[in-house]
């Protein structure tokens, strides 16, 4: 999650909701967190919420149009 701080994808990352943040954790804490979210129900909930959030935030059609406008200005 820390990698995406102040970047476009930051809105997609929420510890325990759409991702697991392990920055600044001890190795034992990382292991425990991974074990916790390896539970099939927790993993599925995390995955579904990550997908839902991405679909709500990312607009590929708008991005495509913006890229097309950019490319057309280059021609």
């Amino acid at each position: 999650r820390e990698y995406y701080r102040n970047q476009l994808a930051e809105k997609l990352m929420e510890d325990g909701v759409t991702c697991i943040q392990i920055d600044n954790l001890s190795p034992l804490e990382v292991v425990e967190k991974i074990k916790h979210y390896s539970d099939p129900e927790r993993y599925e909930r995390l995955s579904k919420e990550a997908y839902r959030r991405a679909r709500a935030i990312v607009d590929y059609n708008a991005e495509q149009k913006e890229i097309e406008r950019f490319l057309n200005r280059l021609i």
Side-chain angles (χ1 to χ4, degrees), residues 30-56:
V30 171
V31 168
E32 290 304 315
K33 200 164 196 178
I34 290 172
K35 282 182 183 178
H36 177 80
Y37 286 102
S38 293
D39 171 77
E41 288 180 19
R42 289 186 188 109
Y43 177 77
E44 184 176 357
R45 190 169 38 248
L46 194 75
S47 299
K48 284 182 177 181
E49 182 58 25
Y51 177 78
R52 188 198 66 73
R53 176 129 351 138
R55 295 284 296 175

Side-chain angles (χ1 to χ4, degrees), residues 7 11 18 20 24-28 33-41 44 48 57 59 63 69 71-72 75:
Q7 296 186 43
K11 294 184 277 186
T18 61
I20 57 171
N24 303 316
L25 297 181
S26 72
L28 182 57
K33 200 164 196 178
I34 290 172
K35 282 182 183 178
H36 177 80
Y37 286 102
S38 293
D39 171 77
E41 288 180 19
E44 184 176 357
K48 284 182 177 181
I57 292 174
D59 184 347
E63 288 183 19
R69 283 192 296 274
L71 291 174
N72 287 332
I75 299 174

Side-chain angles (χ1 to χ4, degrees), residues 1 3 6 14 21 30 32 40 48 54 59 62 65 73:
R1 179 173 181 237
Y3 176 80
N6 299 319
E14 184 179 346
Q21 181 174 332
V30 171
E32 290 304 315
K48 284 182 177 181
D59 184 347
K65 289 175 184 171
R73 286 192 304 262

